Amino acid sequence: MTQQQFNDLLQALRKEAMSNMIKASIRQQFPEPLASQYCQRFDDFKMVIDLLEYKAKQNGM
């Protein structure tokens, strides 16, 4: 594994851990079904951000 691959993996793990912490916080602060709805919207938003990051990497940014 190259250093760049290791760094990419580490960044992905950090993003996933942060995402899980945010969703846990949402679930603690809001009752159901709002918590599930907010978590789903957060996941949708995260997917858009991931797509933008992927496209930026493809374009060499």
Side-chain angles (χ1 to χ4, degrees):
M1 178 181 286
T2 67
Q3 186 65 34
Q4 183 61 42
Q5 289 172 325
F6 178 77
N7 289 342
D8 290 344
L9 178 61
L10 187 59
Q11 180 182 359
L13 290 173
R14 285 179 181 154
K15 283 174 52 178
E16 192 62 31
M18 183 64 74
S19 173
N20 288 338
M21 290 187 326
I22 290 170
K23 289 193 284 187
S25 177
I26 289 170
R27 291 195 183 280
Q28 288 176 350
Q29 294 180 21
F30 297 98
E32 289 295 338
L34 285 177
S36 291
Q37 291 172 356
Y38 292 160
C39 285
Q40 181 60 50
R41 289 183 188 216
F42 176 76
D43 284 337
D44 294 344
F45 176 74
K46 186 175 161 272
M47 191 181 323
V48 170
I49 296 301
D50 290 341
L51 178 63
L52 292 173
E53 285 180 350
Y54 175 74
K55 289 296 184 180
K57 279 187 178 183
Q58 279 186 328
N59 292 332
M61 298 179 138

